[in-house]
Amino acid sequence: MDLPSAAPLPEIEPAQAAEVMIGFIRSQMEQTGFSRLVIGLSGGVDSATVAFLAARAIGPENLLAVRMPYRTSSEASQTDALRVVTALGCQTELIDITPMVDPMLAVMEEGEGAELNVRRGNVMARQRMIVLYDRSAQFDALVVGTSNKTESLLGYGTLHGDMAAALAPIGDLYKTQLRAVARELGVPDEVVAKPPSADLWPGQTDEGELGRSYESLDRALFALVDRRWTVDRCVAAGLERDLVEWVASRVARMEFKRQLPPVAKLSLRTPGIDHLYPRRRPGSRR
Amino acid sequence: MEYRIALAQTAPRLGDIDANLSVASDAVRRAAVEGAALTVLPELALTGYLLQDLVPDVAMRADDPRLRALANDAPGMLVAAGFVEETDDHRYCNSAVLVRDGEVIGIHRKVYLPTYGLFDEGRYTRPGDRIRTHDAGAPVGRIGLSVCEDFWHASLPMLQALDGASLLVNLAAGPSRAPGGSAGLAAIAGWHKMQDTYALLGTVPIAFCNRVGNEEGLTFWGGSRLIAADGSTVVQAPLWEEALVFGSIDTDDLRIQRYGLPLLADERLELVRRELDRIIRERAGIDGAEWPE
């Protein structure tokens, strides 16, 4: 299908964007007082890109890439993750989450089909978070996040799972922009070119699960979010109404995943309402 | 007469006044070695930008000895720097100070506080209510100070030019709105275009000093510049990186420029005031003007 040029993909200057993200990571390290990062490396393009950015920012010796397959994870993902580790020369560790996840799955008797798949996927994502935060304490590091803007806006991630992180270098980068940045950084072609997958069950792909291509999702998101277009204007520009309405509704429904929970205000100064500080200030550096 | 200006494109540390004072005095010392008559530091150079509720913690009075000491390492040099000012009646302002030899020559309180998009300044600081120029004597003459967003309102630099400014000095903390792509570069080009235009229309040189570095998720873009009264670029600092750049202004150029292009002298101030008065009355619905229109 010819996608409309009137509703374009978001553009990116890969080299410039990479420099900004590298500067951001360095500044976060400096401001927090940490010098190391730990990342969950899946073999996909998102975590590979963040690993490359992190290695450029702080040196590969200060990056610990943790590979955390479940027994159903694909072999190809593990091969690709190793490719990234080899290309970077960073530290790495392999931790099979199967013996941690299976006892939990065994007590999840109710539910079936897609819903059960999502629940199982959430357990895996949260187990990986537990491993990463443990390793971050052991390695004296911050957990660097790998969520991109497309996922974040669509809420396609597990709260307190893969979304848990101390900093989010690619959180303002759409999936289609990310590939250009990955190529610029030298992420191996095999990793950049393959279909994106959360790899939570065999044969799963993001685009299969979301039911839309990243290209059409990003066109709709860019129009709705960055350009503040109405649904009607998106449709007039040639985007399919079903797609745009689905995206708009999903962005609204998933708002809760992008914010801290609301606090019931009782006092004169309430965190998040009228007790507002930058995360890092004198005294907050460890 | 020619004089040199130093633009100190620093990366202030958020909330850390001591560290920022040390960076400022280092820049002033290096500028003194290069014979600068004026050193310009960015907006909120002494405090950092995204202060939120840190504002009262880092605020200083205009007569704070730390401000007066800014130029102590460089006798005779003018130093302009941004800080959070607490006024006598406890207004907290985003201010620029101009000091020399331990004396405060002028203060400008940011008039336009952006509170939209990625900006939230109006929540934490209060706007200034004066647009003035300050006589710094030879060779620089009268200086019109402003802070960042002030420059997006053409009336402010034009008033300062009409008030006799022989140099406009804008201190900025400009975070890039889209540093990942061409939209961000276009915004930077817009800033530079606007400065060129003011220099040309005001027949006045402009010193623009913008910070760099990161705060939270923001990246500040730098690109500090000195622009001559004919709108040409004298010197430009790099984008994104810390820098100390120097450029010269020749006051004889200004004489010749203003003879050849007497825009300021030709300005119809009475006419402008009459029309402004009318617009103000009409907007407010005074004197029988229709409302709403």
Side-chain angles (χ1 to χ4, degrees), chain A residues 11-14 16-17 20 23-24 27-28 30-31 228 269 273-282 285, chain B residues 13-16 50-54 57 117 123-124 178-183 185 214-217 219 240:
Chain A
E11 52 90 42
I12 190 78
E13 305 282 341
Q16 184 188 319
V20 170
F24 163 79
S27 139
Q28 288 293 312
E30 201 274 325
Q31 287 173 38
R228 301 173 194 255
R269 283 195 87 193
I273 297 178
D274 43 23
H275 177 272
L276 299 172
Y277 288 92
R279 277 171 191 74
R280 303 297 165 193
R281 52 178 155 127
R285 192 173 189 271
Chain B
R13 291 172 70 123
L14 190 57
D16 193 342
L50 276 181
L51 293 160
Q52 299 186 294
D53 282 340
L54 290 175
D57 300 351
R123 181 184 166 86
Y124 302 100
S182 59
L185 293 178
N214 298 76
E215 284 181 8
E216 304 283 281
T219 302
W240 320 113

Side-chain angles (χ1 to χ4, degrees), chain B residues 91-107:
Chain B
R91 279 179 292 149
Y92 295 88
C93 299
N94 179 337
S95 294
V97 68
L98 183 66
V99 294
R100 180 174 54 200
D101 294 328
E103 188 195 349
V104 173
I105 291 175
I107 290 267

